[in-house]
C-alpha cells in the first residue's frame, strides 16, 4: 500500500495501474461502515484507492471541523489489512491552494434536507469529490447509503459533468441496536449513545406503518416526529418522506420513498435514513 500526500505523486502511482480502479472517499476515523465500502471496492475492482481528507469546505462556520475525530495511523493499519493500493492524504493547502475560486454547485437536489440545514455543505462535497475524481480517475466510486442525499448529489454531478465514473451505493452498516455507524458517534456520552437509538426506532416505526398499509406521508412524518419526541435527549431538526431522486416531499407514499431525518443528541448532530421497499410492503 502506498500512502501519498502530493497530488503529483498520486498521479504517478495511479498511471501504471491497469484494470478497473475503485475509489472510496472518506474523512477518516474509519469504522466498519467505511470498511464495507473498501471491501466492496476490493471485491469488484483490480485496484482500490482511498482518500482520507477532512474537507473544510463542507463544514459550516459553527460546525465541528476543529474537533472532528482523526486517527490516521489506525486508519492506515485497517486499509493496509484490506489490501488497498493507494491512500491519498492531501493537505488542505494542496486541495485548496491560495487563490482557489472554482466550485461545483449542484442545484435543485441540494436545496432541501441537509442542504437546507447546512448551507454550502454540498458545494464543498461536490467540489472535493470532483477533485478526487480528477485526481484518481476511478472507473467506480463507492458511497454509503447512510448519506442518502450525498449519493443523489454525487450521481447528479457525475452525470452533469460527464465524469466516466460509476457511482456504487453500499448499505448502511449499523450497530446491533440499530444505530448507524458514524465517526460522530464518538462524541456521544454513554447516556447519549443510548438515546441515539431513537433515530432507528423512529425510522422503523414508519417502516412498519408502511408495511401495514399506511400510505399517507404526513402520517409517517408525524409518527417519526412523535417517536423522536419521546426521547428527552433528542431534538428533531427535520423528518422527511421524499421522492428518492428529486428529494421532493411526498403526499402519498410509494415504494422506493426515502425516509430520512436529522436529530441532535445533546450537541451531536446525527442523520439516518431508510428506503421503503416492496419487502416492507408485504412483510
Ligand atoms: P465520511 O468519512 O463520513 O465522509 O464517510 C465516507 C463514506 O462512508 C461516505 O460515502 C459515507 O456515506 C460512508 N459511510 C459512513 N458511515 C457509513 C455507514 N454506517 N454505513 C455505510 N457507509 C457509511
Amino acid at each position: 500500500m502506498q500512502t501519498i500526500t502530493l497530488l503529483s505523486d498520486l498521479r504517478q502511482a495511479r498511471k501504471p495501474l491497469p484494470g478497473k480502479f475503485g475509489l472510496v472517499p472518506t474523512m477518516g476515523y474509519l469504522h466498519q461502515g467505511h470498511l464495507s465500502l473498501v471491501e466492496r471496492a476490493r471485491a469488484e475492482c483490480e485496484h482500490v484507492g482511498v482518500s482520507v481528507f477532512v474537507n473544510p469546505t463542507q463544514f459550516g462556520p459553527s460546525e465541528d471541523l476543529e474537533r472532528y475525530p482523526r486517527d490516521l495511523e489506525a486508519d492506515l493499519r485497517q486499509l493496509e489489512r484490506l489490501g488497498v493500493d493507494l491512500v491519498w492524504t492531501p493537505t488542505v493547502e494542496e486541495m485548496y491552494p491560495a487563490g482557489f475560486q472554482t466550485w461545483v454547485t449542484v442545484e435543485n437536489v441540494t436545496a432541501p434536507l441537509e442542504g437546507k440545514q447546512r448551507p454550502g455543505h454540498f458545494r464543498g462535497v461536490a467540489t472535493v469529490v470532483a477533485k478526487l475524481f480528477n485526481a484518481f480517475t476511478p472507473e467506480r466510486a463507492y458511497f454509503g447509503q447512510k448519506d442518502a442525499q450525498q449519493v443523489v448529489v454525487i450521481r447528479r454531478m457525475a452525470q452533469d459533468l460527464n465524469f466516466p465514473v460509476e457511482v456504487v451505493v453500499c448499505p448502511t452498516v449499523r450497530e446491533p441496536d440499530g444505530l448507524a455507524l458514524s465517526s460522530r458517534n464518538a462524541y456521544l456520552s454513554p447516556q447519549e449513545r443510548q438515546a441515539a437509538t431513537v433515530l432507528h426506532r423512529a425510522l422503523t416505526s414508519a417502516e412498519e406503518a408502511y408495511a401495514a398499509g399506511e400510505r399517507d406521508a404526513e402520517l409517517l412524518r408525524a409518527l417519526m416526529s412523535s417517536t423522536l419526541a419521546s426521547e428527552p435527549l433528542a431534538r428533531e431538526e427535520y423528518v422527511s418522506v421524499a421522492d428518492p431522486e428529486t428529494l421532493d416531499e411526498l403526499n402519498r407514499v410509494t415504494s422506493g420513498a426515502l425516509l430520512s431525518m436529522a436529530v441532535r443528541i445533546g450537541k451531536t448532530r446525527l442523520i439516518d435514513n431508510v428506503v421503503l421497499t416492496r419487502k416492507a410492503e408485504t412483510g
Side-chain angles (χ1 to χ4, degrees), residues 24-37 51 53 58 68 142-148 150-151 168 170-175 179-185:
V24 182
T26 82
M27 298 205 299
Y29 209 70
L30 303 179
H31 51 62
Q32 192 51 45
H34 300 111
L35 301 181
S36 72
L37 311 189
S51 58
F53 180 61
Q58 70 188 69
Y68 194 84
Y142 294 81
F143 294 89
Q145 175 62 29
K146 162 77 173 21
D147 298 278
Q150 173 168 280
V151 170
V168 181
C170 304
T172 301
V173 177
R174 298 177 180 281
E175 300 282 3
L179 178 66
L181 267 54
S182 164
S183 306
R184 291 189 167 98
N185 293 349

Side-chain angles (χ1 to χ4, degrees), residues 29-266:
Y29 209 70
L30 303 179
H31 51 62
Q32 192 51 45
H34 300 111
L35 301 181
S36 72
L37 311 189
V38 176
E39 286 163 357
R40 174 93 174 262
R42 185 66 283 171
E44 294 181 353
C45 303
E46 270 71 42
H47 295 98
V48 175
V50 175
S51 58
V52 177
F53 180 61
V54 181
N55 176 34
T57 65
Q58 70 188 69
F59 288 76
S62 61
E63 293 183 1
D64 56 345
L65 172 62
E66 292 310 322
R67 65 178 194 129
Y68 194 84
R70 292 162 167 89
D71 188 349
L72 184 58
E73 267 182 38
D75 292 346
L76 295 177
R77 272 200 304 277
Q78 305 196 74
L79 295 175
E80 172 112 58
R81 194 163 43 77
L82 293 183
V84 168
D85 299 278
L86 305 178
V87 181
W88 190 28
T89 60
T91 60
V92 173
E93 291 71 29
E94 173 139 68
M95 196 61 94
Y96 300 107
F100 186 91
Q101 52 189 288
T102 304
W103 299 95
V104 177
T105 310
V106 180
E107 297 196 342
N108 300 356
V109 293
T110 65
L113 308 174
E114 290 301 286
K116 192 167 177 185
Q117 300 293 324
R118 306 182 67 189
H121 170 67
F122 286 119
R123 182 180 85 146
V125 169
T127 301
V128 84
V129 172
K131 288 171 70 78
L132 293 170
F133 284 2
N134 282 331
F136 280 94
T137 64
E139 274 73 31
R140 293 188 176 176
Y142 294 81
F143 294 89
Q145 175 62 29
K146 162 77 173 21
D147 298 278
Q149 189 174 15
Q150 173 168 280
V151 170
V152 175
V153 171
I154 298 302
R155 273 196 203 290
R156 192 72 249 168
M157 179 201 67
Q159 197 175 331
D160 290 353
L161 297 183
N162 309 119
F163 281 106
V165 180
E166 186 188 337
V167 174
V168 181
V169 185
C170 304
T172 301
V173 177
R174 298 177 180 281
E175 300 282 3
D177 65 6
L179 178 66
L181 267 54
S182 164
S183 306
R184 291 189 167 98
N185 293 349
Y187 300 147
L188 300 170
S189 71
Q191 206 190 358
E192 289 171 341
R193 168 64 188 79
Q194 181 54 39
T197 59
V198 76
L199 281 83
H200 185 247
R201 283 187 277 124
L203 290 167
T204 304
S205 67
E207 221 173 9
E208 285 171 359
Y210 175 74
E214 185 55 60
R215 293 294 179 270
D216 180 346
E218 194 50 40
L219 206 135
L220 295 192
R221 285 186 283 267
L223 197 53
M224 291 192 283
S225 289
S226 67
T227 308
L228 294 176
S230 72
E231 171 49 65
L233 295 183
R235 203 172 77 245
E236 172 187 321
E237 259 188 25
Y238 65 79
V239 296
S240 162
V241 178
D243 179 283
E245 275 156 37
T246 64
L247 302 180
D248 291 337
E249 289 300 315
L250 297 173
N251 296 319
R252 294 284 300 166
V253 189
T254 48
S255 175
L258 175 68
L259 311 187
S260 66
M261 56 180 56
V263 179
R264 294 228 177 233
I265 306 286

